[in-house]
Amino acid sequence: MKLSNTSQYAIRILTYMADKQDTQRINAKDLSQTLDIPYKFLTKIMTDLVKVGFIVSIRGREGGYRFEKEISDISIEDILKTFNDEIKDEACILGIGYCNNTCKCALHDQWLDSKIALQKMFKESSIDTLVGEGNKV
Amino acid sequence: MKLSNTSQYAIRILTYMADKQDTQRINAKDLSQTLDIPYKFLTKIMTDLVKVGFIVSIRGREGGYRFEKEISDISIEDILKTFNDEIKDEACILGIGYCNNTCKCALHDQWLDSKIALQKMFKESSIDTLVGEGNKV
DNA sequence: AATTAATACTACCTTGAAGTAGTAATTAAG
DNA sequence: CTTAATTACTACTTCAAGGTAGTATTAATT
Ligand code: SF4
Ligand code: SF4
């Protein structure tokens, strides 16, 4: 029960970029070194983040990345969805077919509250609410 | 963000077995068919559940499995731990090294409540609290 | 004792996530 | 214009989870 490496990386990348919004461009080499994410894997993730419209890339010398979308308009949920790692409404915690909200697997009652709380937390955590001094990166 | 297939299977197996405690032995073929879990994969999981002492196996003709431990003494947390799928105290949600409870990754504050609630739910959900009529299996 | 039905063990195959390598395309600087 | 520094693309490799196959072992039934 954990987030995928890719999701973890993406969240760390975007929150770190948000922390440095003064710097107008951040390049892959810096991100890779600062966040200790393998360079080639990071650039693959960056391309996904560009394609989904969170950031834009500036190619060529002196290039890099900057936000395209408002950081108040990017939630953890959005990031997880980009990498298919969100908690889906229709996914049963025990993997028994699709959840129609009337079904009951053995863990239903116990899981439902946590599920809703988690989804709410992911949805309400936009990048701008996460920036802060002294965060581990 | 989901439980592993193996964990899901194990929870379904044990809750189903608990539902049928009248039947003193349940064999792998029945479990495989009823729960729609691949037979060979199921027997691998069963062997793990035996090794960790939740159930005992009776080999040979008319063999099968039955509980060894009290079902009130087996929690979802215990099952998840068996397959290394529990939410570890020291695991950072963003995968940044080890959590010492003084560190702060960007998601720390938002995650902590959910984490504690989930851990509590997994710990307090013993198999006997999960048995019930009409559950999806 | 032979047969049959069950679990246990060992080894392998498959799939998807994670990570790597090399090259092409782009663009600022000199 | 050339070079250097950057992102993008394509393809491959590695690793762990999930799943499969075959055989050995066990024990009740006949
Ligand atoms: S029973 Fe509960 S966990 Fe299972 S599918 Fe329905 S809502 Fe989801
Ligand atoms: S900062 Fe929060 S999530 Fe990260 S390791 Fe510490 S407690 Fe865990």
Side-chain angles (χ1 to χ4, degrees):
Chain A
M1 191 91 182
K2 62 186 258 316
L3 298 180
S4 68
N5 283 9
T6 305
S7 298
Q8 292 179 338
Y9 288 159
I11 294 170
R12 289 172 56 208
I13 290 164
L14 292 174
T15 51
Y16 178 72
M17 283 179 66
D19 262 337
K20 300 213 133 197
Q21 272 239 340
D22 43 313
T23 318
Q24 266 304 16
R25 292 174 187 183
I26 305 182
N27 68 35
K29 192 178 167 211
D30 286 349
L31 288 170
S32 167
Q33 289 174 349
T34 306
L35 301 176
D36 195 28
I37 300 171
Y39 177 82
K40 285 289 198 179
F41 194 41
L42 179 131
T43 58
K44 191 188 285 191
I45 293 171
M46 297 311 280
T47 301
D48 289 339
L49 296 176
V50 168
K51 281 181 177 158
V52 78
F54 295 160
I55 57 178
V56 287
S57 62
I58 301 97
R59 292 172 71 160
R61 187 164 179 162
E62 301 294 302
Y65 304 93
R66 62 172 172 73
F67 278 103
E68 168 81 340
K69 233 178 162 173
E70 288 292 322
I71 61 172
S72 59
D73 203 31
I74 302 172
S75 67
I76 298 293
E77 183 189 37
D78 295 329
I79 302 172
L80 297 182
K81 277 184 175 169
T82 303
F83 300 100
N84 195 34
D85 200 22
E86 82 276 18
I87 297 175
K88 298 181 181 66
D89 275 325
E90 72 276 14
C92 176
I93 182 71
L94 297 187
I96 310 175
Y98 291 98
C99 183
N100 56 13
N101 282 316
T102 59
C103 60
K104 287 229 175 194
C105 65
L107 256 189
H108 172 90
D109 294 331
Q110 290 80 357
W111 166 242
L112 200 57
D113 286 346
S114 294
K115 172 183 175 175
I116 290 171
L118 271 171
Q119 286 177 327
K120 181 175 151 75
M121 184 270 279
F122 286 144
K123 189 187 289 272
E124 291 179 354
S125 296
S126 54
I127 300 291
D128 66 317
T129 67
L130 301 180
V131 300
E133 294 308 311
N135 281 348
K136 282 203 300 185
V137 291
Chain B
M1 190 92 185
K2 61 188 258 316
L3 298 179
S4 68
N5 283 8
T6 305
S7 298
Q8 292 179 337
Y9 287 158
I11 295 170
R12 290 172 56 208
I13 290 164
L14 293 174
T15 51
Y16 178 72
M17 283 179 66
D19 263 337
K20 300 214 134 195
Q21 273 239 340
D22 43 313
T23 318
Q24 267 304 17
R25 292 176 188 182
I26 305 182
N27 67 36
K29 193 177 166 211
D30 286 349
L31 288 170
S32 168
Q33 288 174 350
T34 305
L35 301 176
D36 195 28
I37 299 172
Y39 177 81
K40 283 289 197 178
F41 194 41
L42 179 131
T43 58
K44 190 188 287 190
I45 293 171
M46 296 313 281
T47 301
D48 289 339
L49 295 176
V50 168
K51 281 182 178 156
V52 78
F54 295 160
I55 57 179
V56 288
S57 61
I58 302 98
R59 291 173 72 158
R61 187 164 178 164
E62 301 294 303
Y65 303 95
R66 63 172 171 73
F67 278 101
E68 167 82 341
K69 233 179 163 172
E70 288 292 322
I71 62 173
S72 60
D73 203 31
I74 303 173
S75 67
I76 297 293
E77 183 190 35
D78 294 329
I79 302 172
L80 297 183
K81 277 183 175 169
T82 303
F83 301 99
N84 195 33
D85 200 23
E86 82 276 19
I87 297 176
K88 298 180 181 66
D89 276 325
E90 71 276 13
C92 176
I93 181 71
L94 297 187
I96 309 174
Y98 292 98
C99 183
N100 56 14
N101 282 315
T102 59
C103 59
K104 287 227 175 198
C105 64
L107 257 188
H108 173 90
D109 295 330
Q110 290 81 356
W111 167 242
L112 199 56
D113 287 345
S114 295
K115 171 182 176 176
I116 290 170
L118 271 171
Q119 287 177 327
K120 181 176 152 75
M121 185 269 281
F122 286 143
K123 188 186 290 271
E124 292 179 353
S125 296
S126 54
I127 299 291
D128 66 316
T129 67
L130 301 180
V131 300
E133 295 306 312
N135 279 347
K136 283 203 298 185
V137 291

